[in-house]
Amino acid sequence: MPLPHEQPRAIDRRVRVQGVPVDSCPAPSPEAGRGSVRRITRVGEEILNRRCREVTEFGTAELSALIDDMFLTMWVADGAGLAANQVGVDLRLFVYDCPDDDGVRHVGHIVNPVLDQPGAGQRRLVDDFEGCLSVPGATMAVPRTDRAVVRGVDKDGAPLVIEGSGYFARCLQHETDHLLGHTYLDRLSRRDRRDALRQMDDRCADVLARRELKAADLGRSSR
């Protein structure tokens, strides 16, 4: 219970699309409805281990199609975020469809993102379980800051600032890491990394089978 002089924090629970509150957004997102499913790269593939190239051409049909494909691929894989190198494309871009800890859904994409690091006095690290579509079947506790701000542009080159808290902040940090050539495994101790890879070996086949089934169901429903 708050003290009598305190007011409970009001939460605008509308969906945020590109950081802007809207009354509704279908699931999957409209982008997914235009996309095609792409193969998701797996840990150990070279493209996941190098910094991605900056996007220099905006407003192109190719960039829009890539974003659409990434949204559908993320949805089929039951993901909350997906970076371009996770579909084999060497570009600084990620998409997301992710809730925060207040249950607010955030949907969008960001190109050439740069993560603002909180100052030492504002930094609160939270250990929570984290997975990755490129490490199928594994989850491990990873320390992340509880708030994050990512600055970049949209597919047309317009400036974007996306702020997140809780689980969404974790998503923003995770996807930005990908574009720098890192997976969450790089933030683990050697022992925990080995544990995560063992989990992947044990569960990968089941995870990939679920993805294939969802993609097949999608194909049947679109006929």
Side-chain angles (χ1 to χ4, degrees):
M1 291 281 295
L3 294 173
H5 64 275
E6 293 180 331
Q7 295 297 320
R9 180 168 64 96
I11 299 172
D12 182 348
R13 298 191 181 277
R14 289 179 294 172
V15 180
R16 305 297 197 275
V17 176
Q18 296 295 92
V20 178
V22 299
D23 289 334
S24 65
C25 179
S29 66
E31 295 91 343
R34 301 188 294 263
S36 299
V37 177
R38 299 198 185 196
R39 175 185 173 272
I40 296 177
T41 54
R42 197 114 25 105
V43 63
E45 295 185 42
E46 192 270 339
I47 195 169
L48 293 176
N49 297 326
R50 67 172 187 262
R51 186 185 180 99
C52 293
R53 295 183 297 111
E54 296 283 307
V55 176
T56 57
E57 295 184 14
F58 301 95
T60 66
E62 292 79 9
L63 186 58
S64 292
L66 172 60
I67 290 169
D68 292 345
D69 290 355
M70 289 172 64
F71 267 103
L72 183 60
T73 302
M74 175 177 65
W75 183 75
V76 165
D78 296 319
L82 186 70
N85 56 354
Q86 291 184 274
V87 292
V89 178
D90 182 16
L91 288 175
R92 289 182 54 76
L93 157 70
F94 68 79
V95 302
Y96 57 87
D97 191 337
C98 181
D100 62 25
D101 286 0
D102 292 319
V104 176
R105 180 182 171 211
H106 297 260
V107 183
H109 71 273
I110 189 163
V111 180
N112 298 337
V114 176
L115 181 68
D116 280 0
Q117 295 290 347
Q122 302 172 315
R123 185 175 303 173
R124 187 170 78 90
L125 286 178
V126 177
D127 272 334
D128 205 350
F129 281 92
E130 193 167 318
C132 178
L133 300 184
S134 293
V135 192
T139 58
M140 296 295 294
V142 181
R144 300 276 190 186
T145 58
D146 65 336
R147 304 191 70 82
V149 177
V150 175
R151 302 178 189 275
V153 297
D154 68 12
K155 63 183 179 180
D156 297 314
L160 272 179
V161 179
I162 304 297
E163 301 183 35
S165 62
Y167 187 69
F168 182 46
R170 181 171 294 273
C171 173
L172 294 175
Q173 293 167 82
H174 179 111
E175 301 308 329
T176 303
D177 269 1
H178 269 302
L179 303 180
L180 296 172
H182 304 301
T183 69
Y184 82 91
L185 299 183
D186 298 324
R187 294 182 175 271
L188 301 178
S189 67
R190 289 183 180 180
R191 179 179 178 179
D192 285 349
R193 181 185 174 94
R194 287 195 299 269
D195 187 9
L197 293 174
R198 279 195 296 268
Q199 290 181 39
M200 185 179 74
D201 287 343
D202 291 343
R203 303 169 186 170
C204 181
D206 289 341
V207 172
L208 297 184
R210 288 197 297 271
R211 292 179 187 175
E212 290 178 6
L213 182 60
K214 192 170 181 179
D217 288 343
L218 180 69
R220 285 192 288 270
S221 66
S222 62
R223 291 174 188 169

